[in-house]
Amino acid sequence: MPLQAPLPSEYTERSDAELRDRISVAKEKLGRRVCILGHHYQQDEVIEFADYTGDSLKLSQRAAEQRDAEYIVFCGVHFMAESADILTAPEQQVVLPDLSAGCSMADMAHIDQLEGVWPLLVEQVGAPLTPITYVNSSAAVKAFVGRHGGACCTSSNAKLVLEWALQGATPGRPGTGRKVLFVPDQHLGRNTAYALGWPLEQMAVFDPHQYNGGLSAERCARTQIFLWKGHCSVHQLFKVEQIETLRRQPEPWRIIVHPECTWEVCQQADEVGSTEYIIRTVTAAPPGTCWAVGTELHLVNRLAQQNRDKRVRSLAGMQCLCSTMYRIDLKHLCWALENLAAGRVVNRIAVDAETRHWARVALDRMLALVPAQPVSAR
Ligand code: SF4
C-alpha cells in the first residue's frame, strides 16, 4: 500500500469548522472542474461535500459522465480510485485524498500471487477455468482476469457473472462445463454460488500461501468453484451468535446482511444483498419495523438517521467500521482540494495503459451482462 506523507500543520492543527469553511471555498473555486465522490461507507463529515454517493462502481461510472470534471476526488479506498481512473477519460485525473486508504480484502490477492498459482491450477483442474474478480481488487488483478477470459463482478451482479462464467456446468454434477476461480472474497463467492444451487462440496478454498492452494489433485478435479482465501475485515465481524441474541429479544428484528459476511451468517439472516439492496429494502420497509444490519457502521448509522420511523441498528454490538476508508477525513480532503485549486495535483492515482486496457476488458464483460444502474445524486 502506498504511504501517505504527513500533512502540514496548517491542516493537522485546524478545527473541523475551519477545515469545512476552507473545503467549501476550494470547492467553489474549482467549480465544475472537480467532482467529489463519497462511498457509502465514508464518514458523514466527508459525505457532506460529496457530489455523488454510491458504491464504488456506480461512482466511477458517474464520474465518467462528468466530462467537465478535470479532477475526480474519490473519497473511498485505493482500488476504487483505480477503477475510476480506468473508467474515466484519459484527461480526467483521479485523486485519493489519503494514499494509505487501502482495502484489506483487495490486499489479500496480490498480482504476483495470482500469476504464480495460475499455471499449476489450470493444469490440475482438468477443465477450462475462468477467473472472476470482485471489483474490490487491484487494477492489476482485474487486468489479469481480463487477459484470461474472465470478468469482474459486484455484490449486486455476482450471480449473473458467476452463471455466465460457469457455462455448461450443472450443480451436483461434477465434471461438467467450465470451472471458476473466484478472487478475492471467498464469502461473496461461496454465498453467490450456494444461492445458485451449487453444493458446498463442489467449492474449495484456495489458499495462495500454500502449494497449489493447499488442494490435492483429486480435490481439484472434483471442485467446480475455487474460492480465493480472502475476506473483508469488517464483514467478518458479524457472527451467528449476534443473530441468535437478537432473535431472543421481544422486538421482531429483521436481519439483513451483506454477502461479504460468512456463509453461516448469511444462512441465518432474513435477507442478504448488496449495499444498494440494503438501502432500498430498509428505506421501503413499513414504519415501525426493526432492522439489524450487517454491514459497515457509517452506512448503518446514516440509514438509521434517514429512517427515523423505523428502528435501525448494527447487527454487531461493536464498532464495525472500515478503518482504512476512515483515513479520508476533513484534513486530507481540504489538503487535496486546496492543492487542486492552486493548480497542483496531489495523490493522483493513475493506472498504466496496458493494465488499464485489460482491466477495462474485465469490467466491460461484466457491464455487457448487467446494464448500469443510476446512482444517488445529492
Ligand atoms: S469494507 Fe471491507 S471490502 Fe470494503 S473497503 Fe473496507 S476492508 Fe475493503
Side-chain angles (χ1 to χ4, degrees), residues 93-118:
Q93 301 187 65
V94 178
V95 167
L96 183 65
D98 185 334
L99 286 181
S100 58
C103 164
S104 55
M105 179 199 286
D107 291 345
M108 288 176 198
H110 195 275
I111 184 58
D112 293 344
Q113 290 176 306
L114 192 52
E115 283 178 341
V117 302
W118 180 256

mmCIF file of all heavy atoms in Angstrom, residues 93-118:
data_model
loop_
_atom_site.group_PDB
_atom_site.id
_atom_site.type_symbol
_atom_site.label_atom_id
_atom_site.label_comp_id
_atom_site.label_asym_id
_atom_site.label_seq_id
_atom_site.Cartn_x
_atom_site.Cartn_y
_atom_site.Cartn_z
ATOM 1 N N GLN A 93 -8.287 13.449 -14.140
ATOM 2 C CA GLN A 93 -7.290 12.963 -13.183
ATOM 3 C C GLN A 93 -7.981 12.581 -11.874
ATOM 4 O O GLN A 93 -8.779 13.359 -11.340
ATOM 5 C CB GLN A 93 -6.240 14.039 -12.934
ATOM 6 C CG GLN A 93 -5.523 14.436 -14.224
ATOM 7 C CD GLN A 93 -4.374 15.383 -13.938
ATOM 8 O OE1 GLN A 93 -3.405 15.023 -13.293
ATOM 9 N NE2 GLN A 93 -4.489 16.603 -14.428
ATOM 10 N N VAL A 94 -7.665 11.391 -11.383
ATOM 11 C CA VAL A 94 -8.312 10.887 -10.170
ATOM 12 C C VAL A 94 -7.377 11.078 -8.974
ATOM 13 O O VAL A 94 -6.186 10.768 -9.046
ATOM 14 C CB VAL A 94 -8.681 9.389 -10.332
ATOM 15 C CG1 VAL A 94 -9.299 8.850 -9.047
ATOM 16 C CG2 VAL A 94 -9.626 9.210 -11.514
ATOM 17 N N VAL A 95 -7.944 11.589 -7.898
ATOM 18 C CA VAL A 95 -7.165 11.887 -6.692
ATOM 19 C C VAL A 95 -7.763 11.128 -5.502
ATOM 20 O O VAL A 95 -8.986 11.119 -5.312
ATOM 21 C CB VAL A 95 -7.202 13.416 -6.422
ATOM 22 C CG1 VAL A 95 -6.693 13.745 -5.028
ATOM 23 C CG2 VAL A 95 -6.392 14.149 -7.489
ATOM 24 N N LEU A 96 -6.887 10.478 -4.743
ATOM 25 C CA LEU A 96 -7.299 9.817 -3.494
ATOM 26 C C LEU A 96 -6.739 10.672 -2.354
ATOM 27 O O LEU A 96 -5.514 10.764 -2.200
ATOM 28 C CB LEU A 96 -6.714 8.394 -3.446
ATOM 29 C CG LEU A 96 -7.089 7.517 -2.264
ATOM 30 C CD1 LEU A 96 -8.576 7.182 -2.254
ATOM 31 C CD2 LEU A 96 -6.280 6.213 -2.290
ATOM 32 N N PRO A 97 -7.578 11.309 -1.545
ATOM 33 C CA PRO A 97 -7.057 12.278 -0.575
ATOM 34 C C PRO A 97 -6.037 11.721 0.423
ATOM 35 O O PRO A 97 -5.194 12.461 0.909
ATOM 36 C CB PRO A 97 -8.322 12.777 0.144
ATOM 37 C CG PRO A 97 -9.403 12.608 -0.879
ATOM 38 C CD PRO A 97 -9.059 11.350 -1.608
ATOM 39 N N ASP A 98 -6.105 10.434 0.738
ATOM 40 C CA ASP A 98 -5.096 9.825 1.616
ATOM 41 C C ASP A 98 -4.635 8.523 0.959
ATOM 42 O O ASP A 98 -5.419 7.583 0.816
ATOM 43 C CB ASP A 98 -5.695 9.546 3.000
ATOM 44 C CG ASP A 98 -4.657 9.040 3.982
ATOM 45 O OD1 ASP A 98 -3.650 8.444 3.544
ATOM 46 O OD2 ASP A 98 -4.839 9.250 5.198
ATOM 47 N N LEU A 99 -3.366 8.466 0.592
ATOM 48 C CA LEU A 99 -2.854 7.291 -0.128
ATOM 49 C C LEU A 99 -2.890 6.017 0.706
ATOM 50 O O LEU A 99 -2.845 4.920 0.175
ATOM 51 C CB LEU A 99 -1.408 7.542 -0.573
ATOM 52 C CG LEU A 99 -1.214 8.507 -1.744
ATOM 53 C CD1 LEU A 99 0.266 8.630 -2.060
ATOM 54 C CD2 LEU A 99 -1.989 8.040 -2.971
ATOM 55 N N SER A 100 -2.950 6.164 2.012
ATOM 56 C CA SER A 100 -2.960 4.959 2.850
ATOM 57 C C SER A 100 -4.367 4.382 3.012
ATOM 58 O O SER A 100 -4.558 3.422 3.756
ATOM 59 C CB SER A 100 -2.333 5.241 4.212
ATOM 60 O OG SER A 100 -3.032 6.285 4.834
ATOM 61 N N ALA A 101 -5.356 4.951 2.337
ATOM 62 C CA ALA A 101 -6.713 4.391 2.381
ATOM 63 C C ALA A 101 -6.774 3.200 1.430
ATOM 64 O O ALA A 101 -7.106 3.344 0.256
ATOM 65 C CB ALA A 101 -7.746 5.454 2.004
ATOM 66 N N GLY A 102 -6.414 2.039 1.932
ATOM 67 C CA GLY A 102 -6.431 0.821 1.121
ATOM 68 C C GLY A 102 -7.599 -0.063 1.523
ATOM 69 O O GLY A 102 -8.481 0.349 2.274
ATOM 70 N N CYS A 103 -7.595 -1.286 1.011
ATOM 71 C CA CYS A 103 -8.666 -2.239 1.350
ATOM 72 C C CYS A 103 -7.992 -3.549 1.725
ATOM 73 O O CYS A 103 -7.253 -4.127 0.913
ATOM 74 C CB CYS A 103 -9.592 -2.429 0.156
ATOM 75 S SG CYS A 103 -10.658 -3.893 0.281
ATOM 76 N N SER A 104 -8.243 -4.013 2.939
ATOM 77 C CA SER A 104 -7.569 -5.228 3.404
ATOM 78 C C SER A 104 -7.939 -6.421 2.518
ATOM 79 O O SER A 104 -7.110 -7.300 2.263
ATOM 80 C CB SER A 104 -7.911 -5.510 4.865
ATOM 81 O OG SER A 104 -9.309 -5.579 5.035
ATOM 82 N N MET A 105 -9.171 -6.448 2.013
ATOM 83 C CA MET A 105 -9.560 -7.571 1.150
ATOM 84 C C MET A 105 -8.787 -7.541 -0.176
ATOM 85 O O MET A 105 -8.240 -8.555 -0.606
ATOM 86 C CB MET A 105 -11.058 -7.529 0.859
ATOM 87 C CG MET A 105 -11.510 -8.646 -0.058
ATOM 88 S SD MET A 105 -13.079 -8.314 -0.833
ATOM 89 C CE MET A 105 -14.198 -8.561 0.524
ATOM 90 N N ALA A 106 -8.758 -6.379 -0.808
ATOM 91 C CA ALA A 106 -8.038 -6.269 -2.087
ATOM 92 C C ALA A 106 -6.575 -6.656 -1.894
ATOM 93 O O ALA A 106 -5.965 -7.303 -2.766
ATOM 94 C CB ALA A 106 -8.160 -4.855 -2.642
ATOM 95 N N ASP A 107 -6.001 -6.291 -0.745
ATOM 96 C CA ASP A 107 -4.591 -6.596 -0.484
ATOM 97 C C ASP A 107 -4.338 -8.092 -0.296
ATOM 98 O O ASP A 107 -3.191 -8.540 -0.298
ATOM 99 C CB ASP A 107 -4.107 -5.836 0.755
ATOM 100 C CG ASP A 107 -4.037 -4.338 0.500
ATOM 101 O OD1 ASP A 107 -4.073 -3.933 -0.678
ATOM 102 O OD2 ASP A 107 -3.969 -3.567 1.477
ATOM 103 N N MET A 108 -5.406 -8.885 -0.093
ATOM 104 C CA MET A 108 -5.224 -10.335 0.101
ATOM 105 C C MET A 108 -5.023 -11.077 -1.218
ATOM 106 O O MET A 108 -4.786 -12.289 -1.213
ATOM 107 C CB MET A 108 -6.428 -10.923 0.845
ATOM 108 C CG MET A 108 -6.459 -10.525 2.302
ATOM 109 S SD MET A 108 -7.939 -11.123 3.112
ATOM 110 C CE MET A 108 -7.942 -10.072 4.581
ATOM 111 N N ALA A 109 -5.194 -10.381 -2.347
ATOM 112 C CA ALA A 109 -4.925 -11.025 -3.644
ATOM 113 C C ALA A 109 -3.932 -10.157 -4.399
ATOM 114 O O ALA A 109 -4.315 -9.201 -5.074
ATOM 115 C CB ALA A 109 -6.219 -11.178 -4.442
ATOM 116 N N HIS A 110 -2.658 -10.482 -4.259
ATOM 117 C CA HIS A 110 -1.630 -9.710 -4.957
ATOM 118 C C HIS A 110 -1.422 -10.309 -6.346
ATOM 119 O O HIS A 110 -1.490 -11.530 -6.526
ATOM 120 C CB HIS A 110 -0.321 -9.735 -4.164
ATOM 121 C CG HIS A 110 0.648 -8.704 -4.627
ATOM 122 N ND1 HIS A 110 1.499 -8.924 -5.683
ATOM 123 C CD2 HIS A 110 0.862 -7.441 -4.210
ATOM 124 C CE1 HIS A 110 2.218 -7.831 -5.895
ATOM 125 N NE2 HIS A 110 1.845 -6.911 -5.009
ATOM 126 N N ILE A 111 -1.147 -9.454 -7.306
ATOM 127 C CA ILE A 111 -0.985 -9.933 -8.689
ATOM 128 C C ILE A 111 0.132 -10.985 -8.802
ATOM 129 O O ILE A 111 0.007 -11.959 -9.548
ATOM 130 C CB ILE A 111 -0.750 -8.744 -9.668
ATOM 131 C CG1 ILE A 111 -0.688 -9.232 -11.117
ATOM 132 C CG2 ILE A 111 0.453 -7.921 -9.298
ATOM 133 C CD1 ILE A 111 -1.895 -9.967 -11.610
ATOM 134 N N ASP A 112 1.203 -10.822 -8.031
ATOM 135 C CA ASP A 112 2.297 -11.805 -8.105
ATOM 136 C C ASP A 112 1.820 -13.183 -7.642
ATOM 137 O O ASP A 112 2.241 -14.215 -8.184
ATOM 138 C CB ASP A 112 3.483 -11.363 -7.239
ATOM 139 C CG ASP A 112 4.134 -10.111 -7.806
ATOM 140 O OD1 ASP A 112 3.864 -9.787 -8.980
ATOM 141 O OD2 ASP A 112 4.880 -9.441 -7.062
ATOM 142 N N GLN A 113 0.974 -13.212 -6.633
ATOM 143 C CA GLN A 113 0.429 -14.499 -6.163
ATOM 144 C C GLN A 113 -0.422 -15.134 -7.258
ATOM 145 O O GLN A 113 -0.293 -16.321 -7.566
ATOM 146 C CB GLN A 113 -0.464 -14.279 -4.932
ATOM 147 C CG GLN A 113 0.257 -13.881 -3.671
ATOM 148 C CD GLN A 113 -0.748 -13.600 -2.566
ATOM 149 O OE1 GLN A 113 -1.663 -12.791 -2.732
ATOM 150 N NE2 GLN A 113 -0.575 -14.267 -1.443
ATOM 151 N N LEU A 114 -1.301 -14.308 -7.843
ATOM 152 C CA LEU A 114 -2.218 -14.835 -8.852
ATOM 153 C C LEU A 114 -1.449 -15.383 -10.055
ATOM 154 O O LEU A 114 -1.724 -16.495 -10.538
ATOM 155 C CB LEU A 114 -3.174 -13.710 -9.269
ATOM 156 C CG LEU A 114 -4.397 -14.079 -10.100
ATOM 157 C CD1 LEU A 114 -5.192 -15.210 -9.462
ATOM 158 C CD2 LEU A 114 -5.293 -12.855 -10.286
ATOM 159 N N GLU A 115 -0.479 -14.612 -10.501
ATOM 160 C CA GLU A 115 0.318 -15.075 -11.652
ATOM 161 C C GLU A 115 1.108 -16.334 -11.297
ATOM 162 O O GLU A 115 1.301 -17.211 -12.133
ATOM 163 C CB GLU A 115 1.257 -13.959 -12.114
ATOM 164 C CG GLU A 115 0.496 -12.909 -12.902
ATOM 165 C CD GLU A 115 1.348 -11.740 -13.346
ATOM 166 O OE1 GLU A 115 2.439 -11.551 -12.762
ATOM 167 O OE2 GLU A 115 0.896 -11.001 -14.237
ATOM 168 N N GLY A 116 1.525 -16.425 -10.028
ATOM 169 C CA GLY A 116 2.319 -17.583 -9.596
ATOM 170 C C GLY A 116 1.502 -18.865 -9.517
ATOM 171 O O GLY A 116 1.978 -19.941 -9.875
ATOM 172 N N VAL A 117 0.266 -18.778 -9.058
ATOM 173 C CA VAL A 117 -0.514 -20.009 -8.823
ATOM 174 C C VAL A 117 -1.317 -20.451 -10.050
ATOM 175 O O VAL A 117 -1.698 -21.611 -10.164
ATOM 176 C CB VAL A 117 -1.490 -19.845 -7.626
ATOM 177 C CG1 VAL A 117 -0.741 -19.467 -6.355
ATOM 178 C CG2 VAL A 117 -2.594 -18.821 -7.908
ATOM 179 N N TRP A 118 -1.549 -19.551 -10.964
ATOM 180 C CA TRP A 118 -2.469 -19.833 -12.077
ATOM 181 C C TRP A 118 -2.044 -21.030 -12.939
ATOM 182 O O TRP A 118 -2.855 -21.936 -13.182
ATOM 183 C CB TRP A 118 -2.644 -18.567 -12.915
ATOM 184 C CG TRP A 118 -3.560 -18.704 -14.081
ATOM 185 C CD1 TRP A 118 -3.217 -18.822 -15.392
ATOM 186 C CD2 TRP A 118 -5.004 -18.745 -14.053
ATOM 187 N NE1 TRP A 118 -4.336 -18.920 -16.194
ATOM 188 C CE2 TRP A 118 -5.449 -18.878 -15.387
ATOM 189 C CE3 TRP A 118 -5.948 -18.682 -13.030
ATOM 190 C CZ2 TRP A 118 -6.803 -18.939 -15.729
ATOM 191 C CZ3 TRP A 118 -7.298 -18.745 -13.368
ATOM 192 C CH2 TRP A 118 -7.707 -18.879 -14.700
#
